Amino acid sequence: MSGPFIAPRAAQPLDLLEQSAAGGGWESLEQLFAPVIGADLQPSDRVAKFLYALHEHGDGRELVEWLMDITMRLPWRVTGKTMEETAILAINRQAIAGVGEVILKVIAKGKELADAERRNQNGAGA
């Protein structure tokens, strides 16, 4: 019932909510937490090569190592007072780790591009 001060409920039915959250089993849950970079969020080749070059430089390597310390290597402290709080903390921690994962993927892409350029310059690509 809704009175004059209570708005009618406009929520997704519980069965649909459950299906979207866990309907696909473990694989669906893993997909939910997998890092995703859409095509429109991919860095340019120039940025990927720059990040790789930075990674290969002494001071740049130290910067990338620090970024991994505060993202991927950060200890997992996700115990909350309730199951819901623990889940929120885990999702937050996964989001932080996702930044590090993306940085490593971009460095790998930059290495591939730099290696391909070297092969082409050496005549191997001809």
Side-chain angles (χ1 to χ4, degrees):
M1 281 194 225
S2 61
F5 300 108
I6 301 173
R9 233 174 128 226
Q12 186 176 22
L14 190 57
D15 58 336
L16 291 178
L17 184 62
E18 183 275 329
Q19 277 181 346
S20 65
W26 190 255
E27 295 81 22
S28 178
L29 190 59
E30 284 181 343
Q31 276 185 329
L32 184 65
F33 290 110
V36 177
I37 300 181
D40 55 341
L41 297 177
Q42 289 287 340
S44 67
D45 289 353
R46 189 172 148 188
V47 169
K49 289 187 290 186
F50 174 78
L51 192 52
Y52 170 67
L54 182 67
H55 172 264
E56 293 298 296
H57 185 270
D59 292 337
R61 176 72 180 231
E62 187 176 347
L63 171 65
V64 173
E65 291 290 341
W66 173 71
L67 289 171
M68 294 305 105
D69 287 344
I70 63 171
T71 58
M72 305 263 315
R73 295 184 191 125
L74 192 64
W76 277 78
R77 294 186 197 111
V78 295
T79 305
K81 295 175 186 167
T82 65
M83 186 65 134
E84 292 80 9
E85 184 180 3
T86 299
I88 290 170
L89 291 171
I91 291 168
N92 182 46
R93 180 60 188 85
Q94 180 60 38
I96 292 168
V99 173
E101 292 171 10
V102 169
I103 290 170
L104 292 177
K105 285 182 181 182
V106 172
I107 290 171
K109 179 183 175 185
K111 180 181 184 333
E112 288 176 15
L113 293 167
D115 289 348
E117 281 183 6
R118 275 194 288 276
R119 283 192 302 272
N120 287 338
Q121 288 173 353
N122 292 334

